[in-house]
Amino acid sequence: MLKEVFPCLLSWPSYRRFRRATIRLGHVALNLEHYRHTKKRSDKKMAAEGRNVKPILYSFFRSSAAWRVRIALAMKGIDYDYREVHLRKDGGQQRTEEYRKLNPMEQVPTLIIDGHTLFQSLPICEYLEETRPEVPLLPKDPAVRAKARALAEIINSGIQPLQNVNVRNKVGEEKAHEWVKYWIERGFTALEKALQETAGKYCIGDKVTLPDLFLVPQIYHAQRVDLDMSQFPTIKRIDAALSEIDAFKTAHAIRQPDTPPDERPSSKT
């Protein structure tokens, strides 16, 4: 027992071995701490350098998923380079091997930002929220925040996936119109009811939050299939209010670099 507490009571050769082992462990600990400190500084430096590189958004003007991200970027005041990925041309430019390396699901959007390649609109918006919280898109209260996410998910999970290009191709163009109309109407019926609890000027009270970013592109697609929006007065009212905000105007499908000339505002009467 005494030798465990007082190594000096060990025989001289045993004590020397004990000291050498102790010194080596000390060196290892110092080197490990130095590595951690250096890596932390390196990570911070790389993050700072990434912030100085202009983000790149791979988008299609009419894609509701890419549209949400465009609104989020505009709300956050983030300038970016726009790269068109036409979902119909050449059999779908999202299906090329080059683009598949960025987005294995062969979908838009893809956002390259801060040295990261991100895909899927909801996690992209969440990333922007967490890294650039100055203009918040989620409420602080955890319960209200959960409700905001739930409203966004009604669209993100319950409507939009059922109208995307892959599904439309599978259903067939002759049936796609009614198919899309049915699912949007069904989803908007649920959303209209849910908004009775949360809505103010916008989806959650009087501040723009995540579900507002998801709502506007979906209304655009509802109008494309001639859905009667008079049955959704709350949704219509919120959409009218959001249409006055500059970030929503900038991100609109009719104002993108790849918007066809006949769909731009100047060509409309």
Side-chain angles (χ1 to χ4, degrees), residues 149-167:
R149 287 188 169 113
L151 293 177
E153 276 297 303
I154 290 176
I155 297 170
N156 189 52
S157 300
I159 303 176
Q160 192 273 333
L162 296 160
Q163 67 171 45
N164 66 24
V165 171
N166 290 332
V167 173

Side-chain angles (χ1 to χ4, degrees), residues 15-217:
Y15 177 69
R16 290 182 64 186
R17 287 196 296 272
F18 176 83
R19 283 285 298 161
R20 284 197 296 268
T22 304
I23 291 170
R24 284 196 295 270
L25 286 172
H27 287 162
V28 169
L30 285 172
N31 288 335
L32 182 58
E33 182 60 29
H34 176 72
Y35 168 77
R36 287 172 176 167
H37 181 67
T38 303
K39 187 175 186 304
K40 189 174 181 180
R41 285 192 303 174
S42 176
D43 289 346
K44 286 183 177 179
K45 182 179 179 182
M46 289 178 65
E49 289 175 350
R51 285 280 184 116
N52 294 327
V53 177
K54 197 173 185 180
I56 299 172
L57 176 66
Y58 291 83
S59 177
F60 179 58
F61 78 103
R62 196 180 285 144
S63 163
S64 55
W67 190 336
R68 304 162 188 166
V69 174
R70 295 197 301 261
I71 299 172
L73 290 166
M75 290 291 295
K76 300 284 187 179
I78 302 171
D79 191 21
Y80 60 91
D81 284 331
Y82 188 105
R83 303 283 175 83
E84 176 193 4
V85 181
H86 201 291
L87 302 183
R88 295 286 188 180
K89 190 183 296 183
D90 305 323
Q93 295 173 347
Q94 74 277 18
R95 306 189 193 284
T96 64
E97 183 177 351
E98 181 181 1
Y99 186 73
R100 195 182 302 118
K101 292 176 182 177
L102 298 175
N103 191 319
M105 278 296 287
E106 303 177 359
Q107 297 172 338
V108 291
T110 299
L111 179 66
I112 300 177
I113 188 169
D114 301 338
H116 306 295
T117 300
L118 308 176
F119 50 88
Q120 298 295 340
S121 62
L122 183 56
I124 290 175
C125 290
E126 294 265 12
Y127 176 83
L128 296 176
E129 178 71 0
E130 291 169 5
T131 58
R132 292 153 176 87
E134 296 81 10
V135 181
L137 294 175
L138 282 169
K140 290 183 178 180
D141 181 270
V144 182
R145 182 178 286 234
K147 290 177 181 179
R149 287 188 169 113
L151 293 177
E153 276 297 303
I154 290 176
I155 297 170
N156 189 52
S157 300
I159 303 176
Q160 192 273 333
L162 296 160
Q163 67 171 45
N164 66 24
V165 171
N166 290 332
V167 173
R168 292 176 69 103
N169 288 342
K170 193 70 175 178
V171 171
E173 281 303 317
E174 67 281 357
K175 298 179 181 178
H177 184 93
E178 289 305 314
W179 169 273
V180 171
K181 187 175 182 178
Y182 169 80
W183 287 109
I184 297 177
E185 184 170 27
R186 187 174 186 274
F188 273 6
T189 300
L191 183 61
E192 179 76 15
K193 184 176 181 179
L195 286 170
Q196 304 312 304
E197 181 186 345
T198 65
K201 186 176 183 181
Y202 308 119
C203 286
I204 302 286
D206 296 330
K207 291 184 178 179
V208 173
T209 56
L210 195 64
D212 296 306
L213 279 59
F214 285 62
L215 178 62
V216 169

